[in-house]
Amino acid sequence: MPISGIYKIKGVGDVLAGRVEQGQVKPGEEVVFLPTHTVSNPCTGKVFTVEMHHQRVDYANPGDNVGLNIKGLDKRRYGL
């Protein structure tokens, strides 16, 4: 999923926005961010919520434009 933007939303936190290219994204899943992720510099997080058009959804499919609230991602370390 290419990231098109990162937004700070009051009461929610940081939300990564982009379009799902393959697979399905669901809350609770562990995700890996490429190409930043390497053995020496792991770049992973857990999907807390998935939103489309300002509404929470249970999952996102390829082609969906979504916002993902990711927990456990150190944005300063990964340049996000």
Side-chain angles (χ1 to χ4, degrees):
M1 180 177 127
I3 303 299
S4 61
I6 301 172
Y7 305 96
K8 291 187 181 290
I9 300 176
K10 188 174 182 177
V12 176
D14 295 317
V15 175
L16 282 65
R19 182 182 307 216
V20 178
E21 288 198 344
Q22 60 183 358
Q24 196 175 62
V25 181
K26 299 177 191 174
E29 290 184 330
E30 290 286 331
V31 292
V32 176
F33 294 93
L34 299 172
T36 307
H37 178 78
T38 62
V39 174
S40 62
N41 183 35
C43 186
T44 62
K46 188 172 189 175
V47 178
F48 186 67
T49 60
V50 178
E51 294 191 12
M52 282 193 288
H53 307 291
H54 305 287
Q55 295 201 11
R56 284 189 184 183
V57 294
D58 295 330
Y59 58 88
N61 291 311
D64 290 341
N65 288 309
V66 297
L68 302 176
N69 185 346
I70 306 293
K71 298 294 182 190
L73 182 64
D74 184 351
K75 290 158 287 299
R76 289 169 292 186
R77 181 175 177 189
Y78 306 119
L80 297 177

